[in-house]
Amino acid sequence: MSKNIGLIGRRNYLLKQNPRIEELKISFKIFFTNPTAVAGFVITLLYFIDIILVQFFPSFIGISDPNRYIYNFNNPVPLPPSSSHWCGTTAGGIDLCDAIIKSIRIDLIYSLFIVIVGAIIGLLLGLVSGYLGGIFDEILMRITDIFFSIPYLVLAIAILFVLGVSLENIAFSLIIVWWPLYARYARAQTLSIKQMTFIESAKASGTRDLMIMFKHIVPNVLPPIFVQISLDLGTVVGVFATLAFIGFSPTANIPELGYLTSLGLNYISIAPWSVIIPGLVITVFALAVNLMGDGLRDVIDPKRRSV
Amino acid sequence: MANVIIAAYNLKKYFPVGGFLFSSKQTIKAVDDVSIKIKENEVVGLVGETGCGKTTLGKLLIRLIEPTAGEIFFDVPEEIIVEYEEALKNKDTKKIEKISKRYSFLNKKGGELRRMRRYMNIVFQDPYSSLNPRMLVKDIIAEPIISTGYASKKEAEELVFKLLEEVGLTPEFAFRYPHELSGGQRQRVALARGISTLPKFLVLDEPTSALDVSIQAQILNLINEIRKKYSITILFISHNISVVHYMSDRIAVMYAGKIVEEGYKNSIIFDPKHPYSKALISSIPRPEPMREKIIINLQGEIPNLINPPKGCRFHPRCPVAFEECGWTADEVFQDIEYIIMRRYAEQFNGIKRIYIEDDFTISVEYEGKNLIEEKLKEVLNKEKQELRSLISIKNIKSESTKIKIELYKFVEPEMYKSKDGINVRCLLYREKK
Ligand SMILES: Nc1ncnc2c1ncn2[C@@H]1O[C@H](COP(=O)(O)OP(=O)(O)OP(=O)(O)O)[C@@H](O)[C@H]1O
Ligand code: SF4
Ligand SMILES: [Mg+2]
């Protein structure tokens, strides 16, 4: 008898499609009704397409060496945008369009790495601290307080002075200043979800704490953390480029937006485009991920989901 | 003899209140010295105003929260309970300890407790927050089965469909998320989850009060069917006494953390003993009045449970309260001050000071005219109807320039046996000596 019902159930399961896919469809529907979020998404997508092309098909977009800038010492003074150099050139005669297309990759990949690692560390600590409370929670909160009391750029620079100059160290220092943000956020989310009756329900059913954390709390904490990641990504790209700009990028010839911007600095009064254009590339990305993040916030809002 | 499913004695739950690390020692006495017994297959209804501690008591009984003090037995043979109560009455500590050690539910720990959870569960009031929004219905229903080790994951899958049918939902609901369901459907899912491990005892905490009236009846009937089919013992919590009357065999009335009356449902509904129950029950609309109906309105506020009223906790609102019901010098002082300083201020301008001498004495200092004592007596007598605390004044004496107002000592009511098998916590039912 019970077997039969099971079969019927499975048949219906096949008829109705996978409910998780249904959920995804709803998510897309909500997201695509928000035009600014879609614009943000499209722009973000373009940046990532850029990365893929530079990484895997550089010759396809006419890039001969994706790992270094191409100098033209015949014409070392920046030239304004023209038909041969659409974005103009910067110090050393580097073509800006070519340089920007190459540079985006480093900034984005490192920034993505920073927010994701920071979020994972923060999520785990915030989760345990919020769920267990007590002395562990107290200690973690005091540690994050210390981090928050120092301006993050100052802290990152201090760490870089100790570790020395390299792109890996910039990433490392930014992870160190960024995880407390996620720890706080994950903790706050955990505390509010811990209050919900379904957690009590799970306890009454004999569910272990570890299961409650990973089956009930994490799935509810993750979506807002994802939104937070997409909102943060823009800021992190900016900070990463800033650190490179002020000299924490190794002087080796690595295509990176902050370093590229700094090249134009000596000519800023006669060739403002050499600073403005790479700067704009960073700003537009920051804006785009932010708009996308706002759209994602709508997607995870349960009020928008229920019929 | 049948087993007693729940027998709880002198249960207390005090929640600490306030602040940070070094908080004050204040506590909310949400459940204070409650004893309750539920036999196999019985449905006991628990009624009372909001905030009186019903949910807290329900959670204590299945140890979803740990009691501050008290004893709980779960599913123990009746003769053991009889023996235990005997021992309690004779204050036979050795025997009490011996029985506790062997049978107490509070001694269960870790894996043993988790396995016992199979036999009990709770369904909460709000089906919108009691189901995890990110879990499929099938996983919600299967969770207790898997967590308590009642059946394997694979068997749980099959059971889910059987349970859905049991609560009147079609199999495709298994693959829905809670937000795709209506309130009634969600509560059906919560019920399916509640009975998924064939528990012996279920706490239903206002299972229908968040639902539309039209759906409430369906869910109540469903609960009745299920309980008969699987012989489940139930604690049915509600603030709606008609619903409790419909669902239960016995009723317990709770007020401010204490059970004030308990007995068979018809005895309580048709002839309540405790003044609070009388007020509650008089407010039910009935199609044909059995007798002259007097609606007793409950005046005053719900008492605060941090410093609950002394003596009988109902005394500030009780329409028939008398001298010993629990008035303290504080309460009487406030009323006397109101009379002397405000209401009749012009008549008492000779009075210099009013103060509390001790727990049962209030002093009034005055100068000049002796007539004040007579006047005070007269006014206090007149105001007794309005300011109920004044009935606790035992006598008023003059000492030179001072009037001493003495109060009756209050008595804390216990559970007294009344007729029709009702137990009632009201001094009116004390055995006369
Ligand atoms: N975890 C807690 N911490 C502190 N106080 C609590 C806690 N749980 C309940 N209380 C307090 O205990 C008292 C009793 O609460 P409880 O929820 O048991 O009442 P109730 O009778 O179920 O009320 P309602 O009809 O509103 O559900 C309330 O004053 C409440 O504020
Ligand atoms: S003991 Fe009885 S009469 Fe006195 S206040 Fe309480 S309920 Fe009223
Ligand atoms: Mg409640």
Side-chain angles (χ1 to χ4, degrees):
Chain A
M1 176 68 190
S2 72
K3 231 185 189 116
N4 263 337
I5 297 167
L7 289 176
I8 295 168
R10 274 190 208 108
R11 202 183 62 208
N12 281 300
Y13 174 55
L14 292 174
L15 287 179
K16 202 217 159 190
Q17 296 280 319
N18 188 329
R20 295 195 167 88
I21 290 175
E22 296 281 301
E23 284 301 292
L24 214 60
K25 277 189 194 158
I26 299 178
S27 303
F28 278 121
K29 226 160 124 191
I30 296 171
F31 188 80
F32 282 103
T33 50
N34 181 345
T36 51
V38 174
F41 171 70
V42 170
I43 296 171
T44 310
L45 200 63
L46 288 177
Y47 277 78
F48 279 95
I49 290 173
D50 177 90
I51 295 175
I52 291 167
L53 290 178
V54 171
Q55 181 70 37
F56 299 109
F57 315 104
S59 54
F60 186 72
I61 45 171
I63 286 174
S64 49
D65 188 349
N67 295 322
R68 64 191 81 252
Y69 294 132
I70 296 163
Y71 290 88
N72 177 5
F73 291 111
N74 297 331
N75 233 335
V77 177
L79 296 174
S82 65
S83 59
S84 53
H85 302 286
W86 288 4
C87 313
T89 66
T90 183
I94 299 168
D95 178 78
L96 266 179
C97 277
D98 181 73
I100 286 168
I101 287 172
K102 288 176 190 172
S103 304
I104 286 174
R105 184 180 53 152
I106 299 267
D107 288 84
L108 251 62
I109 296 295
Y110 273 100
S111 301
L112 212 56
F113 179 73
I114 292 164
V115 283
I116 289 174
V117 174
I120 291 172
I121 297 173
L123 174 67
L124 288 176
L125 289 173
L127 185 70
V128 174
S129 146
Y131 188 73
L132 295 183
I135 188 79
F136 183 84
D137 185 38
E138 199 64 35
I139 292 171
L140 186 86
M141 283 307 103
R142 293 299 79 79
I143 292 175
T144 57
D145 278 347
I146 295 172
F147 277 95
F148 286 131
S149 65
I150 309 168
Y152 65 89
L153 213 50
V154 173
L155 187 59
I157 290 171
I159 296 168
L160 279 170
F161 267 119
V162 175
L163 296 178
V165 166
S166 82
L167 292 181
E168 285 73 29
N169 285 347
I170 298 184
F172 185 73
S173 72
L174 287 183
I175 288 171
I176 290 182
V177 298
W178 234 271
W179 74 265
L181 207 79
Y182 287 104
R184 279 287 178 100
Y185 192 59
R187 175 179 177 270
Q189 294 287 328
T190 305
L191 286 180
S192 83
I193 287 157
K194 207 172 100 177
Q195 306 270 326
M196 309 280 282
T197 331
F198 64 80
I199 300 295
E200 259 185 325
S201 243
K203 281 189 185 153
S205 307
T207 310
R208 287 163 214 249
D209 282 341
L210 208 64
M211 279 296 259
I212 291 184
M213 275 205 259
F214 285 96
K215 270 189 81 176
H216 290 277
I217 296 185
V218 169
N220 283 287
V221 172
L222 268 185
I225 292 269
F226 274 131
V227 172
Q228 193 60 37
I229 284 179
S230 81
L231 292 173
D232 272 357
L233 191 56
T235 321
V236 172
V237 167
V239 175
F240 185 88
T242 305
L243 287 172
F245 176 85
I246 60 178
F248 286 101
S249 163
T251 40
N253 187 9
I254 299 169
E256 191 281 328
L257 286 171
Y259 177 66
L260 182 64
T261 314
S262 72
L263 286 180
L265 211 54
N266 287 333
Y267 301 93
I268 189 162
S269 53
I270 58 160
W273 63 87
S274 62
V275 174
I276 291 174
I277 293 178
L280 219 56
V281 171
I282 299 170
T283 313
V284 167
F285 179 76
L287 191 71
V289 277
N290 236 292
L291 292 178
M292 187 176 79
D294 275 337
L296 290 178
R297 216 198 315 251
D298 278 349
V299 170
I300 63 165
D301 182 356
K303 271 182 234 113
R304 294 289 308 268
R305 303 189 75 91
S306 35
V307 226
Chain B
M1 255 194 272
N3 273 12
V4 174
I5 293 294
I6 284 284
Y9 298 94
N10 309 101
L11 274 189
K12 289 181 183 165
K13 181 67 193 181
Y14 293 178
F15 292 110
V17 280
F20 286 103
L21 285 174
F22 309 101
S23 57
S24 57
K25 293 256 162 57
Q26 286 197 322
T27 52
I28 296 179
K29 293 155 190 76
V31 168
D32 201 1
D33 207 4
V34 164
S35 301
I36 187 170
K37 208 156 62 178
I38 308 178
K39 289 187 188 152
E40 210 158 10
N41 285 331
E42 223 175 17
V43 177
V44 172
L46 184 63
V47 278
E49 286 167 306
T50 174
C52 69
K54 305 183 295 295
T55 301
T56 307
L57 179 57
K59 288 183 191 168
L60 283 174
L61 294 182
I62 60 164
R63 272 185 77 192
L64 195 47
I65 49 179
E66 295 297 324
T68 310
E71 179 63 275
I72 306 173
F73 297 103
F74 180 83
D75 195 18
V76 166
E78 193 163 357
E79 46 281 16
I80 305 291
I81 296 299
V82 171
E83 215 176 306
Y84 184 79
E85 282 174 4
E86 195 88 345
L88 274 185
K89 207 153 92 197
N90 303 334
K91 302 211 163 57
D92 182 350
T93 41
K94 234 164 117 189
K95 188 152 201 186
I96 292 174
E97 262 171 44
K98 201 180 125 207
I99 298 176
S100 281
K101 200 163 166 220
R102 169 110 196 262
Y103 293 99
S104 171
F105 179 36
L106 296 174
N107 287 342
K108 309 285 190 246
K109 286 196 186 70
E112 194 185 6
L113 178 61
R114 193 168 316 118
R115 280 187 296 280
M116 274 184 86
R117 295 230 168 266
R118 202 217 110 174
Y119 296 108
M120 64 195 80
N121 215 326
I122 181 165
V123 173
F124 290 104
Q125 167 178 11
D126 178 13
Y128 288 84
S129 68
S130 66
L131 308 179
N132 185 339
R134 306 214 177 263
M135 270 165 89
L136 289 173
V137 165
K138 76 179 171 70
D139 296 324
I140 290 173
I141 297 177
E143 185 179 54
I145 303 179
I146 296 163
S147 292
T148 58
Y150 170 64
S152 71
K153 251 189 185 139
K154 230 177 120 227
E155 290 164 307
E157 287 261 319
E158 303 295 334
L159 278 172
V160 164
F161 295 106
K162 191 159 169 263
L163 287 160
L164 279 172
E165 187 184 55
E166 209 64 80
V167 297
L169 293 175
T170 51
E172 55 265 36
F173 278 93
F175 303 100
R176 300 226 173 127
Y177 283 98
H179 67 77
E180 299 174 79
L181 273 52
S182 70
Q185 289 166 343
R186 285 179 199 223
Q187 207 55 310
R188 284 173 195 266
V189 170
L191 263 174
R193 177 191 163 96
I195 60 165
S196 63
T197 55
L198 296 188
K200 293 185 177 175
F201 179 53
L202 206 51
V203 176
L204 301 176
D205 188 2
E206 314 208 24
T208 59
S209 55
L211 305 177
D212 284 352
V213 181
S214 56
I215 295 163
Q216 285 190 8
Q218 294 172 13
I219 300 287
L220 291 179
N221 289 333
L222 175 67
I223 292 170
N224 263 335
E225 271 169 40
I226 287 174
R227 142 186 116 74
K228 285 193 193 117
K229 186 158 170 191
Y230 293 105
S231 27
I232 301 173
T233 307
I234 287 176
L235 179 73
F236 191 98
I237 299 173
S238 179
H239 53 245
N240 183 334
I241 200 153
S242 321
V243 170
V244 165
H245 182 206
Y246 177 65
M247 296 299 290
S248 331
D249 304 315
R250 283 197 301 135
I251 291 178
V253 181
M254 200 164 175
Y255 184 80
K258 286 183 184 284
I259 288 183
V260 294
E261 178 159 8
E262 181 270 326
Y264 286 97
K265 70 168 171 193
N266 287 337
S267 322
I268 289 191
I269 296 291
F270 298 114
D271 190 12
K273 301 288 185 286
H274 196 282
Y276 174 65
S277 319
K278 283 184 183 165
L280 263 189
I281 286 156
S282 77
S283 65
I284 315 177
R286 291 212 187 101
E288 287 165 58
M290 306 247 147
R291 51 179 121 146
E292 198 65 23
K293 203 166 103 182
I294 310 153
I295 293 190
I296 307 166
N297 279 321
L298 275 181
Q299 289 165 345
E301 303 161 24
I302 298 170
N304 106 15
L305 295 181
I306 296 174
N307 293 308
K310 293 275 179 327
C312 172
R313 291 191 175 180
F314 187 52
H315 80 258
R317 298 166 76 188
C318 180
V320 293
F322 56 99
E323 301 89 315
E324 297 166 280
C325 284
W327 279 284
T328 56
D330 279 334
E331 288 161 280
V332 179
F333 171 79
Q334 279 183 12
D335 286 344
I336 291 184
E337 196 182 35
Y338 166 72
I339 286 177
I340 293 177
M341 300 301 201
R342 303 240 222 105
R343 187 145 182 176
Y344 296 92
E346 76 287 352
Q347 293 184 37
F348 292 115
N349 49 22
I351 287 179
K352 278 187 354 203
R353 193 157 85 97
I354 315 163
Y355 60 96
I356 297 171
E357 193 125 319
D358 60 45
D359 283 354
F360 302 101
T361 324
I362 294 167
S363 295
V364 180
E365 276 179 24
Y366 63 96
E367 50 192 15
K369 301 166 281 182
N370 258 3
L371 278 173
I372 280 182
E373 188 192 339
E374 293 307 311
K375 223 187 284 170
L376 191 61
K377 269 187 186 166
E378 187 196 314
V379 167
L380 290 181
N381 218 356
K382 200 169 88 192
E383 290 297 322
K384 256 182 202 173
Q385 285 310 316
E386 290 254 322
L387 302 169
R388 304 281 301 168
S389 77
L390 301 181
I391 53 182
S392 70
I393 295 173
K394 196 170 175 184
N395 65 50
I396 300 176
K397 275 193 309 208
S398 240
E399 279 177 13
S400 64
T401 62
K402 211 158 82 171
I403 302 170
K404 268 197 167 174
I405 301 170
E406 277 177 30
L407 307 183
Y408 282 98
K409 295 212 163 52
F410 63 78
V411 179
E412 180 131 355
E414 291 162 27
M415 269 292 188
Y416 307 109
K417 280 196 169 37
S418 170
K419 53 182 189 355
D420 312 327
I422 286 181
N423 291 313
V424 55
R425 191 183 288 275
C426 168
L427 294 172
L428 293 172
Y429 299 86
R430 257 182 308 189
E431 290 100 46
K432 305 276 178 324
K433 286 190 185 123

PDB file of all heavy atoms in Angstrom, chain A residues 135-150:
ATOM      1  N   ILE A 135      30.819  32.205  25.720  1.00  0.00           N
ATOM      2  CA  ILE A 135      32.146  32.794  25.798  1.00  0.00           C
ATOM      3  C   ILE A 135      32.801  32.897  24.420  1.00  0.00           C
ATOM      4  O   ILE A 135      33.439  33.893  24.082  1.00  0.00           O
ATOM      5  CB  ILE A 135      33.038  31.985  26.787  1.00  0.00           C
ATOM      6  CG1 ILE A 135      34.365  32.702  27.034  1.00  0.00           C
ATOM      7  CG2 ILE A 135      33.278  30.572  26.323  1.00  0.00           C
ATOM      8  CD1 ILE A 135      34.221  33.842  28.007  1.00  0.00           C
ATOM      9  N   PHE A 136      32.576  31.879  23.576  1.00  0.00           N
ATOM     10  CA  PHE A 136      33.141  31.892  22.223  1.00  0.00           C
ATOM     11  C   PHE A 136      32.634  33.109  21.450  1.00  0.00           C
ATOM     12  O   PHE A 136      33.385  33.828  20.798  1.00  0.00           O
ATOM     13  CB  PHE A 136      32.741  30.598  21.507  1.00  0.00           C
ATOM     14  CG  PHE A 136      33.317  30.471  20.133  1.00  0.00           C
ATOM     15  CD1 PHE A 136      34.598  29.977  19.944  1.00  0.00           C
ATOM     16  CD2 PHE A 136      32.580  30.862  19.023  1.00  0.00           C
ATOM     17  CE1 PHE A 136      35.129  29.879  18.670  1.00  0.00           C
ATOM     18  CE2 PHE A 136      33.101  30.762  17.746  1.00  0.00           C
ATOM     19  CZ  PHE A 136      34.385  30.268  17.573  1.00  0.00           C
ATOM     20  N   ASP A 137      31.342  33.325  21.582  1.00  0.00           N
ATOM     21  CA  ASP A 137      30.701  34.453  20.920  1.00  0.00           C
ATOM     22  C   ASP A 137      31.295  35.773  21.420  1.00  0.00           C
ATOM     23  O   ASP A 137      31.627  36.666  20.640  1.00  0.00           O
ATOM     24  CB  ASP A 137      29.206  34.394  21.230  1.00  0.00           C
ATOM     25  CG  ASP A 137      28.425  35.454  20.486  1.00  0.00           C
ATOM     26  OD1 ASP A 137      28.761  35.712  19.326  1.00  0.00           O
ATOM     27  OD2 ASP A 137      27.478  35.996  21.066  1.00  0.00           O
ATOM     28  N   GLU A 138      31.440  35.834  22.733  1.00  0.00           N
ATOM     29  CA  GLU A 138      31.975  37.056  23.354  1.00  0.00           C
ATOM     30  C   GLU A 138      33.380  37.359  22.806  1.00  0.00           C
ATOM     31  O   GLU A 138      33.672  38.487  22.387  1.00  0.00           O
ATOM     32  CB  GLU A 138      32.023  36.830  24.874  1.00  0.00           C
ATOM     33  CG  GLU A 138      32.100  38.069  25.715  1.00  0.00           C
ATOM     34  CD  GLU A 138      30.858  38.937  25.561  1.00  0.00           C
ATOM     35  OE1 GLU A 138      29.736  38.391  25.398  1.00  0.00           O
ATOM     36  OE2 GLU A 138      31.026  40.156  25.574  1.00  0.00           O
ATOM     37  N   ILE A 139      34.224  36.336  22.772  1.00  0.00           N
ATOM     38  CA  ILE A 139      35.601  36.526  22.298  1.00  0.00           C
ATOM     39  C   ILE A 139      35.606  36.964  20.835  1.00  0.00           C
ATOM     40  O   ILE A 139      36.260  37.927  20.446  1.00  0.00           O
ATOM     41  CB  ILE A 139      36.415  35.220  22.470  1.00  0.00           C
ATOM     42  CG1 ILE A 139      36.612  34.936  23.959  1.00  0.00           C
ATOM     43  CG2 ILE A 139      37.768  35.321  21.764  1.00  0.00           C
ATOM     44  CD1 ILE A 139      37.219  33.573  24.246  1.00  0.00           C
ATOM     45  N   LEU A 140      34.827  36.269  20.019  1.00  0.00           N
ATOM     46  CA  LEU A 140      34.817  36.610  18.592  1.00  0.00           C
ATOM     47  C   LEU A 140      34.349  38.050  18.372  1.00  0.00           C
ATOM     48  O   LEU A 140      34.921  38.783  17.564  1.00  0.00           O
ATOM     49  CB  LEU A 140      33.903  35.659  17.830  1.00  0.00           C
ATOM     50  CG  LEU A 140      33.991  35.894  16.318  1.00  0.00           C
ATOM     51  CD1 LEU A 140      35.140  35.117  15.719  1.00  0.00           C
ATOM     52  CD2 LEU A 140      32.696  35.568  15.616  1.00  0.00           C
ATOM     53  N   MET A 141      33.340  38.446  19.135  1.00  0.00           N
ATOM     54  CA  MET A 141      32.819  39.799  18.942  1.00  0.00           C
ATOM     55  C   MET A 141      33.852  40.849  19.336  1.00  0.00           C
ATOM     56  O   MET A 141      33.982  41.879  18.695  1.00  0.00           O
ATOM     57  CB  MET A 141      31.528  39.992  19.743  1.00  0.00           C
ATOM     58  CG  MET A 141      30.320  39.352  19.122  1.00  0.00           C
ATOM     59  SD  MET A 141      30.068  39.850  17.400  1.00  0.00           S
ATOM     60  CE  MET A 141      30.667  38.428  16.537  1.00  0.00           C
ATOM     61  N   ARG A 142      34.608  40.566  20.422  1.00  0.00           N
ATOM     62  CA  ARG A 142      35.638  41.534  20.824  1.00  0.00           C
ATOM     63  C   ARG A 142      36.727  41.611  19.753  1.00  0.00           C
ATOM     64  O   ARG A 142      37.222  42.683  19.434  1.00  0.00           O
ATOM     65  CB  ARG A 142      36.249  41.144  22.170  1.00  0.00           C
ATOM     66  CG  ARG A 142      35.307  41.230  23.382  1.00  0.00           C
ATOM     67  CD  ARG A 142      34.769  42.626  23.651  1.00  0.00           C
ATOM     68  NE  ARG A 142      33.661  43.013  22.776  1.00  0.00           N
ATOM     69  CZ  ARG A 142      32.405  42.611  22.943  1.00  0.00           C
ATOM     70  NH1 ARG A 142      32.074  41.835  23.943  1.00  0.00           N
ATOM     71  NH2 ARG A 142      31.452  43.000  22.113  1.00  0.00           N
ATOM     72  N   ILE A 143      37.068  40.454  19.162  1.00  0.00           N
ATOM     73  CA  ILE A 143      38.086  40.479  18.103  1.00  0.00           C
ATOM     74  C   ILE A 143      37.605  41.314  16.923  1.00  0.00           C
ATOM     75  O   ILE A 143      38.328  42.171  16.407  1.00  0.00           O
ATOM     76  CB  ILE A 143      38.419  39.035  17.648  1.00  0.00           C
ATOM     77  CG1 ILE A 143      39.135  38.297  18.781  1.00  0.00           C
ATOM     78  CG2 ILE A 143      39.303  39.054  16.394  1.00  0.00           C
ATOM     79  CD1 ILE A 143      39.402  36.835  18.494  1.00  0.00           C
ATOM     80  N   THR A 144      36.362  41.091  16.520  1.00  0.00           N
ATOM     81  CA  THR A 144      35.877  41.882  15.384  1.00  0.00           C
ATOM     82  C   THR A 144      35.815  43.367  15.753  1.00  0.00           C
ATOM     83  O   THR A 144      36.082  44.213  14.915  1.00  0.00           O
ATOM     84  CB  THR A 144      34.497  41.403  14.895  1.00  0.00           C
ATOM     85  OG1 THR A 144      33.588  41.460  15.977  1.00  0.00           O
ATOM     86  CG2 THR A 144      34.552  40.009  14.346  1.00  0.00           C
ATOM     87  N   ASP A 145      35.496  43.662  17.006  1.00  0.00           N
ATOM     88  CA  ASP A 145      35.503  45.063  17.454  1.00  0.00           C
ATOM     89  C   ASP A 145      36.864  45.703  17.200  1.00  0.00           C
ATOM     90  O   ASP A 145      36.951  46.843  16.742  1.00  0.00           O
ATOM     91  CB  ASP A 145      35.202  45.156  18.958  1.00  0.00           C
ATOM     92  CG  ASP A 145      33.714  45.090  19.230  1.00  0.00           C
ATOM     93  OD1 ASP A 145      32.949  45.225  18.255  1.00  0.00           O
ATOM     94  OD2 ASP A 145      33.325  44.889  20.394  1.00  0.00           O
ATOM     95  N   ILE A 146      37.927  44.958  17.536  1.00  0.00           N
ATOM     96  CA  ILE A 146      39.281  45.485  17.332  1.00  0.00           C
ATOM     97  C   ILE A 146      39.487  45.799  15.851  1.00  0.00           C
ATOM     98  O   ILE A 146      39.966  46.863  15.487  1.00  0.00           O
ATOM     99  CB  ILE A 146      40.333  44.463  17.824  1.00  0.00           C
ATOM    100  CG1 ILE A 146      40.199  44.293  19.330  1.00  0.00           C
ATOM    101  CG2 ILE A 146      41.745  44.922  17.444  1.00  0.00           C
ATOM    102  CD1 ILE A 146      41.043  43.165  19.888  1.00  0.00           C
ATOM    103  N   PHE A 147      39.071  44.855  14.995  1.00  0.00           N
ATOM    104  CA  PHE A 147      39.219  45.087  13.559  1.00  0.00           C
ATOM    105  C   PHE A 147      38.456  46.324  13.105  1.00  0.00           C
ATOM    106  O   PHE A 147      38.938  47.104  12.296  1.00  0.00           O
ATOM    107  CB  PHE A 147      38.738  43.868  12.768  1.00  0.00           C
ATOM    108  CG  PHE A 147      39.778  42.807  12.646  1.00  0.00           C
ATOM    109  CD1 PHE A 147      39.820  41.744  13.547  1.00  0.00           C
ATOM    110  CD2 PHE A 147      40.729  42.867  11.636  1.00  0.00           C
ATOM    111  CE1 PHE A 147      40.787  40.778  13.440  1.00  0.00           C
ATOM    112  CE2 PHE A 147      41.708  41.897  11.524  1.00  0.00           C
ATOM    113  CZ  PHE A 147      41.737  40.839  12.435  1.00  0.00           C
ATOM    114  N   PHE A 148      37.252  46.471  13.650  1.00  0.00           N
ATOM    115  CA  PHE A 148      36.437  47.595  13.190  1.00  0.00           C
ATOM    116  C   PHE A 148      36.952  48.933  13.717  1.00  0.00           C
ATOM    117  O   PHE A 148      36.639  49.983  13.169  1.00  0.00           O
ATOM    118  CB  PHE A 148      34.976  47.402  13.591  1.00  0.00           C
ATOM    119  CG  PHE A 148      34.283  46.354  12.773  1.00  0.00           C
ATOM    120  CD1 PHE A 148      33.546  45.346  13.370  1.00  0.00           C
ATOM    121  CD2 PHE A 148      34.385  46.375  11.386  1.00  0.00           C
ATOM    122  CE1 PHE A 148      32.928  44.373  12.610  1.00  0.00           C
ATOM    123  CE2 PHE A 148      33.763  45.405  10.616  1.00  0.00           C
ATOM    124  CZ  PHE A 148      33.041  44.401  11.229  1.00  0.00           C
ATOM    125  N   SER A 149      37.725  48.886  14.805  1.00  0.00           N
ATOM    126  CA  SER A 149      38.177  50.152  15.382  1.00  0.00           C
ATOM    127  C   SER A 149      39.336  50.747  14.581  1.00  0.00           C
ATOM    128  O   SER A 149      39.647  51.918  14.718  1.00  0.00           O
ATOM    129  CB  SER A 149      38.581  49.949  16.843  1.00  0.00           C
ATOM    130  OG  SER A 149      39.697  49.095  16.893  1.00  0.00           O
ATOM    131  N   ILE A 150      39.973  49.938  13.710  1.00  0.00           N
ATOM    132  CA  ILE A 150      41.063  50.456  12.877  1.00  0.00           C
ATOM    133  C   ILE A 150      40.531  50.628  11.453  1.00  0.00           C
ATOM    134  O   ILE A 150      39.913  49.699  10.928  1.00  0.00           O
ATOM    135  CB  ILE A 150      42.250  49.460  12.848  1.00  0.00           C
ATOM    136  CG1 ILE A 150      42.624  49.066  14.272  1.00  0.00           C
ATOM    137  CG2 ILE A 150      43.438  50.056  12.098  1.00  0.00           C
ATOM    138  CD1 ILE A 150      43.574  47.899  14.332  1.00  0.00           C
TER     139      ILE A 150
END
